[in-house]
Amino acid sequence: MKDLVIDLEAEKAEILKRYRALLRASKSTLQKGDKRMIRKAFEMAVESHKDMRRKSGEPYIYHPIAVAQIAAEEIGLGTTSIVCALLHDVVEDTDVTLEDIEREFGKKVAKIIDGLTKISGVFDTNSSLQAENFRKMLLTLADDVRVILIKLADRLHNMRTMEFMPRDKQLKLSSETVYLYAPLAHRLGLYAIKSELEDLSMKYMERETYQFIKKKLNEKKAEREKFIQDFIQPVAAALESQGLKADIFGRPKSIHSIWNKMKKKAIPFEEVYDLFAIRVILDSAPENEKADCWKAYSIVTDSYRPNPDRLRDWVSSPKANGYESLHTTVMGPRGQWVEVQIRTKRMNEIAEKGFAAHWKYKESSSDSGLDQWIHKVRELLRNPDSNALDFLDDFKMNLFSDEIFIFTPKGALIQLPSNATALDFAFEIHTDVGASCIGAKVNHKLVPLNYNLQNGDQVEIITSSKQTPKEDWLNFVVTAKAKAKIKSSLKEAKRKIAEDGKEILERKLKSLKISYNTDNIHKLTNYFKLLSSQDLFFNVAKGVIDLKDLKEYQATEKVVENKPQDKIDNEQVQSLIRTIKSKDSDILLIGEDMQKIDYKLATCCNPIPGDDVFGFITVNEGIKIHRTNCPNAAKLMANYGYRIVKARWTNQHELAFLTGLRITGIDDVGLINKLTTVISTDFKVNMRSLTVDSDNGIFEGTIMVYVNDTIHLDNLIKRLKQVKGVTGVTRFDSAPTPVERAS
Ligand code: MN
């Protein structure tokens, strides 16, 4: 580390400069007395953090000032939040107590700081504790949403200033961010912050791809700007001549969203057409907003032909997170599709700043989508039965999905996630309606429970008093609410059956002269490889375990006693970690330690040498090696950080690794033959499987091959691309295998 020469006077001046910038950013919301409050909070923060520095060497106080600035400028929050942001780390990291805060700033500020301090442990090393903390975090959200908004500002600043952190910290923070904070920002309508969080996470988790896309974007920047100018010119002129005041400009898409598109469609960067969108921001009087948007739409589509399938009207029905905008995709002057987003200044502010801006405009907002969402969160949290980890998963799924609008028979509007089924709708109406649902009529036609609803459907639910929730319902419902209700009712039903089973078992044991006690029940549970005594009782009641099985148990009882437990054993995990870490470094070397430590390559991402990887300690299968950009990586790292071990490849070439290639091309009789020749004869690579789809002369195939490392693979791809008729060769992340379970 280089010597740090600190000029304290210069630092003091810099702190004041940053403070003044914060005041300027909050100006629009300041009322009488506010400035004094902010000053007081600032002084308390400076004083209590005075001896602390950040990893970068900078004074710690830069951080709370920056968080307050983000809260004011990028989220549009007011004085209370600015005060809380300035003080957000004070109680946790310094001698200042919550009582001090309450005395100086009042109850409201103290309550928010308390919430911020409590949720700082959300990502604890213990996974169930972590899920529990997440629940707490959502509870504070239901309580005062400002806690979450400030937390998001805090996380955003930490992500922006992460370069001095050690690599494993960067990966952990990044995965938490994509797993939880970005979806929360999305749900709260903070689109700008959501995109930035995703980009920053990607910058650390997938360094090479991030830099690659960034470079590509820069190369074509001038050309793109020229195109945008040409595109805008006739529209801007027409808008003006029609008397519409508007700001029109091109807006680049985020690197993360471009990468997503490349992955989803399995296409190279060059084939992603929407690297930017055109945005038309109208300066409209409140009463003309909707009419002006459609007028602008008409003007845009006079110049360019629209794609009728791509019109999205969130002006008439805003999204649940408050988003309002009119989107259309039109054919640009060079035969290229261009997305155009039309909205007013007010709508734009809501889209950029989300929640806070939304409340500013809506005086009585009790029926707004956001308010309904928070109501739903509250309702879900009230269900004490649901398993915290499952809940987290279901809930997270629901954070990102878009909504559709469904009508009740009486014409009331219900919002559901876009892939919701008739059964989700039934549970949305009422738990009892869902639980007794046997079918539905959609637009007067009879449909099954798992029918996928379409935007605008009118749905009538058919119930029967004989119906009860079924296990397989969980396979198709999507809302967190329906899942939680079905699970808790199945659990209740199972508990009742288990009670009967307990009595049956008691009788059976008696007849075998085995005494009924906790010890024996425990042994029996292990013998039948079940997780709990309740499962045992349940299986007895269901007849899965009968008298014959129990006799067998009696005969082998001695063996049973010594059988190892199949359950998660934290001690086992810890000792594995110790084995790895007691060696020269704490990095697992793949290829070398194979004999000493049991590990496997994960099938969800098929890592090969050269890939950035990490090890994940599983319960029954030793260590699994995943790529850091594995679709499951973020979840594993965010939830089970303590089970992650660093790993890298040693130089060895004897081993072969399975990976998948997707090949597209123009179908030609000899194509498959040519491909296999390159693979097996030229490269001497073994193929495991080959699937080919041919449709109207378009060829699409996937090939699983064994390669040595990424260099080997890159060479193979390069060579395959040269085969005549081939238009694309890409490696794909995951073979169609089930998602890794973290248990
Ligand atoms: Mn902080």
Side-chain angles (χ1 to χ4, degrees), residues 60 63 67 88-89 154 158:
Y60 193 84
H63 169 64
V67 174
H88 81 273
D89 280 331
D154 182 28
N158 283 334

Side-chain angles (χ1 to χ4, degrees), residues 28 54 61 77 185 247 256 366 414 533 540 547 570-571 583 707:
S28 66
R54 306 196 84 207
I61 186 69
L77 294 169
D247 201 7
H256 183 266
S366 59
I414 304 270
S533 55
V540 171
L547 203 59
N570 198 36
E571 190 40 45
K583 302 197 311 174
V707 294

Side-chain angles (χ1 to χ4, degrees), residues 70 74-75 152-153 155-162 174 177-178 181-182 185-186 190-204 210 251-257 352:
I70 292 169
E74 295 175 53
I75 310 184
L152 279 168
R155 175 51 60 114
L156 179 59
H157 185 246
N158 283 334
M159 290 293 294
R160 279 177 184 170
T161 53
M162 206 162 56
S174 300
T177 300
V178 274
Y181 289 93
H186 174 95
L190 296 151
Y191 283 94
I193 288 182
K194 173 217 163 212
S195 304
E196 194 180 342
L197 285 175
E198 285 174 340
D199 268 12
L200 286 167
S201 303
M202 186 185 164
K203 187 173 153 190
Y204 290 100
Y210 180 87
R251 195 172 161 89
K253 292 267 170 95
S254 76
I255 293 181
H256 183 266
S257 70
E352 298 278 320

Side-chain angles (χ1 to χ4, degrees), residues 547-559:
L547 203 59
K548 204 177 84 231
D549 299 321
L550 290 173
K551 275 183 183 158
E552 263 170 41
Y553 159 75
Q554 202 175 21
T556 56
E557 206 205 349
K558 286 261 139 27
V559 187

Side-chain angles (χ1 to χ4, degrees), residues 340-359:
V340 183
Q341 308 171 344
I342 301 164
R343 54 175 82 150
T344 64
K345 270 189 168 165
R346 177 192 64 82
M347 297 172 186
N348 192 51
E349 202 180 334
I350 289 175
E352 298 278 320
K353 293 184 181 168
F355 202 87
H358 184 86
W359 289 86

Side-chain angles (χ1 to χ4, degrees), residues 634-652:
K635 190 178 153 185
L636 295 178
M637 289 198 247
N639 280 329
Y640 304 97
Y642 67 110
R643 284 158 71 178
I644 302 285
V645 287
K646 280 185 239 169
R648 77 181 158 75
W649 306 92
T650 54
N651 297 322
Q652 36 82 29

